[in-house]
């Protein structure tokens, strides 16, 4: 699974770089800066995948699920592999029909969240993917605030008015 995770990470980075070349301005400045360093961007993407798998396994088990980290990582890699295929379509559309590429990106986002929730429900043996979707959204919100507070406390985040 780790080899597949590395392959998906590399493919995603190459395609993101292609998106930057095809459609300047489609990637924000911070992301563009990270992609300026291929090793840093690959490490960030790979570690992000591992963290999502870890949180998926731990939160699911805390709520009575049965999935393991290895199984969670497998589903994250599968989802990312499909998203790489969608990203290929987006690049083509970005070159020929940018407004449609934006709509595909939005549709892919909603689809990916739903599929992730369905994968997690299957992984942990939960019966209702809608409840899992709610749990996924709630977990994301809690993690966002926790990381924001930790970054602010460590001084890595601006604390003035934005």
């Amino acid at each position: 699974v780790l080899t597949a995770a590395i392959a998906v990470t590399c493919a995603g980075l190459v395609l993101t770089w292609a998106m930057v070349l095809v459609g300047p301005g489609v990637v924000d400045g911070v992301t563009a800066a990270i992609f300026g360093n291929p090793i840093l961007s690959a490490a960030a993407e790979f570690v992000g995948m591992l963290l999502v798998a870890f949180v998926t396994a731990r939160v699911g088990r805390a709520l009575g699920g049965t999935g393991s980290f290895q199984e969670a990582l497998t589903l994250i890699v599968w989802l990312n592999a499909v998203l790489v295929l969608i990203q290929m379509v987006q690049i083509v559309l970005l070159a020929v029909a940018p407004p449609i590429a934006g709509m595909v990106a939005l549709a892919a986002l909603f689809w990916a969240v739903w599929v992730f929730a369905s994968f997690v429900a299957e992984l942990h043996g939960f019966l209702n993917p809608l409840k899992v979707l709610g749990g996924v959204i709630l977990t994301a919100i809690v993690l966002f605030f926790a990381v924001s507070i930790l970054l602010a406390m460590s001084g890595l985040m601006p604390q003035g008015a934005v």
Side-chain angles (χ1 to χ4, degrees):
V1 174
L2 287 177
T3 304
I6 292 169
V8 167
T9 297
C10 292
L13 291 174
V14 168
L15 291 173
T16 300
W17 186 252
M19 284 183 89
V20 169
L21 294 176
V22 171
V26 298
V27 176
D28 63 276
V30 174
T31 304
I34 291 172
F35 282 109
N37 182 339
I39 300 299
L40 176 62
S41 54
E45 176 111 9
F46 184 73
V47 168
M49 222 184 300
L50 293 176
L51 287 173
V52 170
F54 176 77
V55 169
T56 299
R58 294 294 292 206
V59 171
R61 289 184 75 75
L63 296 173
T66 58
S68 68
F69 171 76
Q70 182 75 20
E71 294 166 328
L73 183 59
T74 301
L75 77 84
I76 297 299
V77 170
W78 267 107
L79 181 57
N80 277 286
V82 175
L83 290 173
V84 162
L85 297 175
I86 293 171
Q87 195 173 9
M88 287 181 200
V89 172
Q90 285 178 287
I91 291 170
V92 172
L93 289 173
L94 195 57
V96 296
I100 296 174
M103 290 187 285
V104 168
L106 189 59
L109 173 67
F110 285 111
W111 175 84
V113 170
W114 175 250
V115 168
F116 177 69
S118 298
F119 278 3
V120 171
E122 185 65 29
L123 168 71
H124 287 294
F126 298 137
L127 300 177
N128 189 341
L130 280 174
K131 285 184 181 178
V132 173
L133 178 62
V136 166
I137 292 169
L138 212 67
T139 301
I141 291 169
V142 168
L143 285 175
F144 173 79
F145 281 112
V147 169
S148 295
I149 289 168
L150 288 173
L151 288 175
M153 288 171 47
S154 69
L156 295 175
M157 202 164 123
Q159 296 179 4
V162 179

